[in-house]
Amino acid sequence: MEKHTTRAKKHVALGLLTAILFCGQEIHSQNQSAAFFSRADAEKLEVVPKDDIFFTNSEAQFILKIPSVSSNDVQTELPTFPDGVIFNSSKKSDYISSLEAPGTEIDLWFTFRQTGNIALPPLVIYVKGRRHSIKFKPVDVYENPRTILPKMIVEFDNGQTISADSKKIPSIELESDKAARFTIYMQYAVQAQQFVWKIPKDSLFKELKRYADKDSGRRPSDFSTEKIPLAYFEWTPFAAGTTSLPEIRMMVTAYSGRSVYLSTPECVVTILPAKNSGQNQKAKTEEERQPVYAYAFAEESEQNSKQEKKANTPFDCARIAELRSMERRALFSLGKIRAQRIEAESAAGIKNSENESNYCVFFIIIGANGLLFALAAIFLALKKRFEAAVIGIAALGLFFFSIFAASLVVKKFGIIVGGEIRPIPEDSAMTKSAVSGGSRVQIKEEVKDWYYIVYNENGGWIKKENLAVIK
C-alpha cells in the first residue's frame, strides 16, 4: 500500500513539474523577444514617413514597426518638437505580416506649418522598461499645391542655375562674342500655355530646341517637384559690361488651377571682353552671325516685297516723315494731312497702318478732364451730390484715358530712309542687315550718331542719317 501511494505521489509531482515547465516555456516564448530586444536592434529601426513628400497645413503620417515585440511591452514618450511642427495623434497596435515576424506598429500624425527638409527629434520607446531612441527619417515638406507658386528656372550648359527663390540676386560671367547656351524649365506647374521672348540688345538670341510638353495631360492633383524643360536657347552678347538675362515670359497653369505669368529670374550678368580679338576669329564669328541676324531683320521686308513695291527714293521717306510730323501737330486740318500722308505712302509703295498720336487731341483731353473735375467740385459745393458723382466718374474715366494717351504721345518714332541695322553702335561691326526705306519704327535710345530702334519686333542700331525722325 505504501508503494502504491509513493508511486502516485511521484506521478502527481511529475505532472506538476511538466505543467510548470510548459507554462514557463509559454511565458518565455511570449516574452523572449522583448527580453532580448537590445540596443543594436533599436538602432536598426527608423520612424519612416508614409509618403515621399508632405505639404504644409495637411496631415502627415509616420510609421514605426517593431518586429517580434508585443504591443503590451511597448510604451512611447514624445520628444519636444520644433516650432512649426504640430503633433496631432498616435496609435499603437499589433500587426501580422506574411513577410516578417509579427510585432508592434506605432503610427504618428503631424501637421507641418513650414517648408524645407525637416528632421524630427528621436522618438523614445520603452521595451520591457528599457529605454531606446528611434530616429525619424528626414522628410521634404513643400507648400500646399493649392497655394504654391510656379517658378521659372534657367540652367546653363556649364551647370550654373538661376532661379527666383535665391536669397540674393545671383550673378554670372559670360564672354563677349561667345555663345552661351541654356535651358528654360518650369517647376510647380501643370502646363505651359504661352511662351514668348524679346531679342536682347547688342546680342544674338535664338531658340535651338522646343521640348514637347510631356505633362500636358497631368492633373492638378498629380503634384510633382520635377522641373520640366521647355526650350533650349543660344545667347551671344557682343558688348562688354553689365546686363541682365534675356527677357523670357510664359504663362503657366498652377496646381491651384489659375494662370500665372512667369518671367526670367533676376540676375546680374557681367559680359567680359573677348579673349581672342584676332581679325580671322572675328571675321569667322561675324560670318556665323550674319545669316541669323540678317534673317531676323529682313524677314518682314521680304514678306512685304511680295505684295508691295519699295520706296523709290530717300526723298519719299523724308516727305512721309514730314507729313507724319504735321499729323502729330495738326488740329483742324488733321484729316486733310492724314489723307495726304496715306496718299504719299501709297504712291511710294509703303504700307504703314499706324496713325500718329496727335498732340492737340491729347491737350484737349487734358483740358476736358480738368473741366470735368472742376464741374464736379462745383456741384459738390452746391450740395448736388448725384450730379457731382456722375461728373466725377466721367472725369475719372477720362483721366485714365488721358494716361493711356500720354503713353502714346511720348513715344518717339521715325521713318527708315535706308541703310543698315547693326547689333552694336559701331561702323566696324561686320554683322549687319540692309533695310529698305519707308518702315515706321520706334526709337528706344540715342547714342552719339546712332539710334536704337525696334524693327520687325527686333532691336538694332541704325545711323541717324538713315532715319527721318517724326517730330
Side-chain angles (χ1 to χ4, degrees):
M1 185 70 180
E2 292 182 1
K3 292 183 178 180
H4 179 75
T5 304
T6 303
R7 190 180 298 113
K9 291 180 178 180
K10 289 182 178 179
H11 282 296
V12 173
L14 182 61
L16 290 173
L17 180 60
T18 302
I20 293 172
L21 291 175
F22 176 79
C23 293
Q25 184 177 3
E26 183 67 20
I27 295 172
H28 177 72
S29 63
Q30 293 179 358
N31 297 288
Q32 63 176 345
S33 60
F36 290 96
F37 186 82
S38 63
R39 187 175 300 275
D41 295 326
E43 291 177 350
K44 297 177 183 178
L45 301 181
E46 188 176 28
V47 187
V48 297
K50 183 179 179 180
D51 301 310
D52 294 332
I53 57 176
F54 291 137
F55 304 111
T56 56
N57 302 316
S58 61
E59 198 166 58
Q61 182 180 357
F62 286 79
I63 300 173
L64 171 63
K65 288 187 176 182
I66 309 173
S68 305
V69 176
S70 173
S71 61
N72 295 328
D73 297 324
V74 179
Q75 289 80 38
T76 60
E77 179 183 310
L78 295 175
T80 301
F81 296 108
D83 293 338
V85 178
I86 300 175
F87 172 74
N88 296 333
S89 63
S90 65
K91 183 181 73 173
K92 182 179 65 172
S93 60
D94 294 316
Y95 74 88
I96 299 176
S97 174
S98 59
L99 301 178
E100 55 186 340
T104 299
E105 177 177 324
I106 300 175
D107 298 279
L108 305 104
W109 287 270
F110 298 89
T111 298
F112 297 101
R113 301 297 188 189
Q114 300 175 355
T115 61
N117 184 267
I118 298 178
L120 298 174
L123 175 69
V124 176
I125 64 171
Y126 292 88
V127 180
K128 296 295 288 185
R130 297 188 62 180
R131 189 178 188 274
H132 303 279
S133 295
I134 311 299
K135 294 181 179 179
F136 277 85
K137 183 178 181 179
V139 63
D140 291 320
V141 179
Y142 295 88
E143 284 287 348
N144 195 295
R146 296 189 300 271
T147 59
I148 192 170
L149 293 177
K151 67 177 181 177
M152 180 191 296
I153 300 174
V154 180
E155 186 173 299
F156 284 84
D157 285 357
N158 62 5
Q160 289 181 298
T161 301
I162 310 299
S163 62
D165 58 356
S166 302
K167 294 183 179 180
K168 64 178 182 179
I169 299 177
S171 61
I172 60 174
E173 291 185 351
L174 300 176
E175 186 178 336
S176 176
D177 293 341
K178 185 176 181 180
R181 296 184 175 184
F182 59 86
T183 304
I184 291 293
Y185 295 86
M186 70 174 182
Q187 192 176 29
Y188 308 137
V190 178
Q191 182 183 8
Q193 301 173 358
Q194 295 179 5
F195 196 86
V196 296
W197 63 86
K198 291 184 179 179
I199 303 298
K201 187 171 66 174
D202 298 341
S203 65
L204 286 181
F205 186 73
K206 59 181 178 179
E207 182 182 14
L208 301 179
K209 182 178 180 180
R210 179 70 62 94
Y211 295 94
D213 190 356
K214 65 179 182 179
D215 288 352
S216 58
R218 189 170 59 181
R219 301 187 302 267
S221 59
D222 300 331
F223 181 80
S224 173
T225 60
E226 180 185 3
K227 57 183 184 180
I228 309 301
L230 296 178
Y232 186 48
F233 293 97
E234 182 180 84
W235 179 32
T236 308
F238 298 148
T242 302
T243 183
S244 57
L245 292 173
E247 183 181 358
I248 301 173
R249 293 176 294 172
M250 60 182 176
M251 185 171 69
V252 301
T253 302
Y255 280 99
S256 62
R258 65 191 181 99
S259 297
V260 178
Y261 282 95
L262 301 179
S263 58
T264 312
E266 188 175 1
C267 178
V268 177
V269 183
T270 303
I271 309 299
L272 304 176
K275 296 180 180 179
N276 189 348
S277 58
Q279 187 66 27
N280 293 336
Q281 179 67 24
K282 182 177 180 180
K284 180 180 178 181
T285 303
E286 297 291 351
E287 183 179 354
E288 292 173 350
R289 296 177 194 156
Q290 178 68 25
V292 178
Y293 190 79
Y295 175 79
F297 285 98
E299 181 179 8
E300 183 177 359
S301 297
E302 291 175 0
Q303 292 175 352
N304 293 339
S305 65
K306 297 178 181 180
Q307 301 177 353
E308 305 169 2
K309 62 181 181 178
K310 307 301 180 197
N312 295 325
T313 64
F315 175 79
D316 296 325
C317 301
R319 174 59 180 165
I320 291 170
E322 181 182 358
L323 288 171
R324 282 186 171 272
S325 298
M326 295 171 62
E327 184 179 345
R328 279 201 160 208
R329 300 189 298 269
L331 179 56
F332 300 106
S333 59
L334 175 60
K336 181 180 178 180
I337 294 174
R338 181 168 292 172
Q340 291 178 0
R341 187 262 301 170
I342 294 174
E343 182 180 355
E345 288 179 336
S346 178
I350 302 170
K351 186 178 180 181
N352 288 321
S353 59
E354 304 89 348
N355 293 323
E356 295 298 327
S357 301
N358 188 273
Y359 289 113
C360 296
V361 173
F362 170 71
F363 289 124
I364 290 174
I365 293 174
I366 294 295
N369 193 33
L371 180 61
L372 287 176
F373 275 118
L375 286 175
I378 293 173
F379 278 108
L380 188 62
L382 296 175
K383 296 183 179 181
K384 295 183 178 182
R385 297 182 179 179
F386 177 77
E387 291 82 354
V390 172
I391 297 176
I393 293 174
L396 190 61
L398 192 60
F399 173 73
F400 287 112
F401 180 74
S402 65
I403 294 176
F404 172 74
S407 67
L408 299 178
V409 169
V410 297
K411 290 182 179 179
K412 191 175 182 180
F413 295 91
I415 301 295
I416 295 179
V417 176
E420 297 169 334
I421 295 178
R422 305 168 189 265
I424 55 177
E426 295 181 5
D427 290 318
S428 60
M430 297 180 63
T431 303
K432 52 194 175 183
S433 175
V435 291
S436 57
S439 296
R440 177 179 179 267
V441 295
Q442 184 180 358
I443 302 172
K444 301 288 287 186
E445 190 176 341
E446 179 180 355
V447 175
K448 294 184 179 179
D449 298 329
W450 298 84
Y451 286 123
Y452 184 79
I453 63 172
V454 176
Y455 177 79
N456 189 21
E457 298 184 357
N458 298 286
W461 294 93
I462 190 171
K463 295 281 286 188
K464 288 185 176 179
E465 61 192 37
N466 294 326
L467 190 72
V469 180
I470 298 172
K471 302 178 180 179

